[in-house]
Amino acid sequence: MDSEKEMVKHIRALDSDMQTLVYENYNKFISATDTIRKMKNDFRKMEDEMDCLTTNMTAITEFSARISNTLQDQHQQITKLSGVHTLLRKLQFLFELPGRLNKCIELEAYGQAVRYYSKARTVLVQYQHMPSFQGIHDDCRKIMSNLAHKLRIQFRDSGSSAKALAECVELLLELEEPAEELCDEFLSHAQCRLAADLAELEAELGQTPPSSDILEFVDRGCGGFISNTCLVIASYQGLFVHRPAAGGLDLAPMASAKLQDFVGQLAGRYFELVEARIGAERGVGDNSLLVRGLDRFHRRLQALVKLLPASGLGAQGTEIVARAARERIRQYLRALCGFFSDCLTDVRQSLALPRLLGKEAGGLADMLANLSASILNQIKSVLASVHLFIAKDITFSNKPFFKGEFCSQGVREGLVVAFIRHICLTARQFCETVGEKSAVPAGLLLLLSRLCLDYETSTISYILTLTDEQFLGQDYSTLTPVTALCADARESAQKLLNHYVKVQGLNVSQMLRKSVETRDWINTIEPRNVRAVMKRVVEDITSIDVQVGQLYEEGVRKAHSSDSSKRTFSVYSSSRQQARYAPSYTPSAPMDTNLLSNIQKLFSERIDIFSAVEFNKVSVLTGIIKISLKTFLECVRLRSFGRYGLQQIQVDCQYLQLYLWRFASDENLVHFLLDEIVGSTAHRCLDPITMEQSVIEVICERG
């Protein structure tokens, strides 16, 4: 009973599903019924049409059979007649061919004439041994020869369009004209036009000065020669290089080789003219015109490179631009060197004015500031001009040369570093002349030494940092280090300062030497005044002190004694201690006294007269004083003195002591040298009687 209930439940579910399916697809069943009904009607119509078609096909078959039966006997005859008709038409075409060719030529339908002849040429050549065909063949050859002549005339016509030229070449090649001759003739004809463009550029280049700037010259060359060359290359390649091979003959290799030689020769001449015009750009005022001209030249040259990638024109053009950039850097270096020379000339002229002879404080300092600022501004201006070569809108700036060698070896080494070395070298050259005839002002030596010292401390680092920031080169292997340039500048500063000390020391020494050599020291009168030359020496030392103080710091001095200006000088060198060594000294024993003096010198500190000076005022003045007093000492040793001569030397030395000690780094050095002078004078005195110290002081105070 349970199974029965389950079965009844399934039956009811199936009935429900089937009922639902019928309801859901009712419309589809109705539509299918309608479609079947229509198909029955359509098939009835198709059956009627098929019956009609069958009847018609039967009739056609019967009619065709009757025709075949009727013409069966004449079929071979008709085939033969048809072949004869075709042959007669061909013969008629051959016999009418000369007339047709002449008619086409009269109508200037050259392409149609060539097609007619090409169509019949094989038959005429095959049957030319027959008299009738031989006559036709000869007539056609004459006609086509005349046509080829006309085509060549049109080919040579400079006014022919590119389409007309292409048609001429096409027809001449179909007429089996030599392709190599056509290539040569085309290039020869093009060479005349391109040579005229180059002649115009040569004529303009021959004018002195050039009638136009570099940008206009490049524009004229690009608009004339380059554009026409591109047109010639494109036309030639379309006619000969890119032409489909006909009859197994490929013209491309031969035509390409001729085109490469042709363009290479003309481009070589054009490059020579461009380089000559670039070489005529001597002025360095406005660099933008040159850079824009080179950029336009390089940019327009890329059209030729695209048409002839294997010609190497791009590399040649880039090399021309690179050489122009190198030459421009050399010109800017010469300009910087000339500017520096002009600055030095201005400085020398300014130094010649009386107000700058050390009497106006700040004069040399202002000149140094102006000189340094002028040089730095000029370097910045030159760097800005050179930077145009690597601007982002310049086409050749992305080339390897301008990314690497131009920045590092060109601008940094060839321009900036070379100019810094030139400054140092030029400054050192002023140290090569020493003597009375030296034309170099001492103030210039001092100013240049300070300039080189400033370069060593800060300016060189600033300039090179500025250069490296603007010109980020990719080659850092062979760059000159900043330390090497700073060492060079410091060496130049040291040499200049040493030379300045020698020159100023020599100037003061000359006055002292002449004052000693031109006086009769044996017969001189009793001293009443300080000699004028000593006053002049003090004045000059004071003037030098002011001059050096404008550029250099004071420096370090040893502590001064309270009686620095009141030192007195004994008759013999260091004789204040003489009693300690020779208590039994009497004037009758001069040899013993000399011996004791020499022994005393052995234990004294050695004075290096020409030692290197430091970069401060005290060291410079000390060096000048040492040279001056040493000269005074040596001149005294060459003379003989009387009593009053010795006393005059005492007065002079006391006067020098009063004023010179304050300029030296060590007052003992001045006192020692002056003591030596008085002692040497006493040794060479015939009557060594000294003057009272009180009298000497009165005379010096009065002086």
Side-chain angles (χ1 to χ4, degrees), residues 332 335-347 350 364-383 419 423 447 451 454-455 459 462-463 466:
Y332 274 119
L336 284 175
C337 295
F339 177 80
F340 181 62
S341 177
D342 294 340
C343 288
L344 293 184
T345 302
D346 295 339
V347 169
S350 300
L364 280 180
D366 293 340
M367 292 174 59
L368 174 64
N370 293 333
L371 176 62
S372 183
S374 299
I375 294 174
L376 190 59
N377 291 334
Q378 192 69 13
I379 292 175
K380 290 180 178 179
S381 174
V382 168
L383 289 178
F419 180 57
I423 291 177
L447 187 145
L451 177 69
D454 290 343
Y455 267 62
T459 309
Y462 172 74
I463 293 174
L466 182 67

Side-chain angles (χ1 to χ4, degrees), residues 220-498:
R220 192 169 291 111
C222 293
F225 175 78
I226 295 294
S227 297
N228 291 335
T229 303
C230 290
L231 292 176
V232 168
I233 293 174
S235 300
Y236 182 90
Q237 289 179 336
L239 295 175
F240 301 104
V241 179
H242 300 154
R243 173 186 174 83
L249 180 61
D250 188 6
L251 302 178
M254 179 273 297
S256 297
K258 288 184 175 294
L259 182 62
Q260 297 279 4
D261 295 340
F262 171 77
V263 175
Q265 293 178 3
L266 291 176
R269 289 179 56 193
Y270 175 65
F271 290 158
E272 291 176 0
L273 294 176
V274 171
E275 286 204 88
R277 183 61 184 84
I278 294 173
E281 290 292 308
R282 299 297 182 186
V284 292
D286 185 10
N287 196 42
S288 59
L289 275 179
L290 175 64
V291 175
R292 288 167 57 197
L294 292 175
D295 176 57
R296 195 158 302 177
F297 163 75
H298 186 270
R299 192 189 303 269
R300 295 294 297 272
L301 193 62
Q302 301 311 306
L304 278 178
V305 176
K306 290 180 180 178
L307 290 172
L308 288 176
S311 62
L313 297 178
Q316 295 180 39
T318 303
E319 183 59 29
I320 288 175
V321 175
R323 284 199 293 268
R326 293 191 192 97
E327 179 59 30
R328 200 62 168 175
I329 287 177
R330 287 191 286 269
Q331 291 177 2
Y332 274 119
L333 178 59
R334 289 193 292 269
L336 284 175
C337 295
F339 177 80
F340 181 62
S341 177
D342 294 340
C343 288
L344 293 184
T345 302
D346 295 339
V347 169
R348 297 180 74 157
Q349 291 176 352
S350 300
L351 288 173
L353 299 177
R355 65 182 182 85
L356 286 177
L357 293 178
K359 299 179 181 179
E360 180 181 336
L364 280 180
D366 293 340
M367 292 174 59
L368 174 64
N370 293 333
L371 176 62
S372 183
S374 299
I375 294 174
L376 190 59
N377 291 334
Q378 192 69 13
I379 292 175
K380 290 180 178 179
S381 174
V382 168
L383 289 178
S385 298
V386 175
H387 192 267
L388 295 174
F389 280 102
I390 58 172
K392 292 182 179 179
D393 58 339
I394 302 300
T395 55
F396 54 76
S397 63
N398 59 353
K399 297 294 181 182
F401 170 77
F402 286 95
K403 285 186 175 181
E405 182 182 346
F406 176 77
C407 293
S408 59
Q409 300 303 317
V411 177
R412 191 186 189 276
E413 297 296 315
L415 182 61
V416 177
V417 173
F419 180 57
I420 294 174
R421 292 191 183 279
H422 172 78
I423 291 177
C424 297
L425 178 62
T426 302
R428 285 197 297 269
Q429 288 176 350
F430 288 113
C431 302
E432 296 176 357
T433 54
V434 181
E436 296 182 359
K437 297 182 179 180
S438 175
V440 181
L444 179 62
L445 297 173
L446 186 66
L447 187 145
L448 287 177
S449 71
R450 184 67 208 194
L451 177 69
C452 292
L453 185 63
D454 290 343
Y455 267 62
E456 186 262 338
T457 54
S458 62
T459 309
I460 290 177
S461 299
Y462 172 74
I463 293 174
L464 291 182
T465 302
L466 182 67
T467 304
D468 293 338
E469 289 176 354
Q470 295 186 20
F471 298 88
L472 298 175
Q474 299 175 348
D475 179 18
Y476 298 99
S477 58
T478 58
L479 298 184
T480 302
V482 178
T483 53
L485 291 177
C486 291
D488 193 15
R490 188 173 186 85
E491 180 186 356
S492 300
Q494 187 68 62
K495 287 185 177 180
L496 284 163
L497 197 59
N498 292 344

Side-chain angles (χ1 to χ4, degrees), residues 586-632:
T586 60
S588 62
M591 293 302 294
D592 295 338
T593 303
N594 291 339
L595 179 61
L596 289 175
S597 177
N598 291 331
I599 292 174
Q600 179 64 26
K601 290 180 182 179
L602 293 176
F603 294 95
S604 300
E605 184 179 353
R606 181 178 179 273
I607 299 176
D608 190 358
I609 302 299
F610 295 100
S611 60
V613 296
E614 299 176 3
F615 295 103
N616 57 69
K617 184 176 74 172
V618 172
S619 179
V620 172
L621 268 296
T622 301
I624 295 173
I625 291 173
K626 286 193 297 183
I627 294 175
S628 304
L629 296 184
K630 182 65 174 176
T631 303
F632 193 11

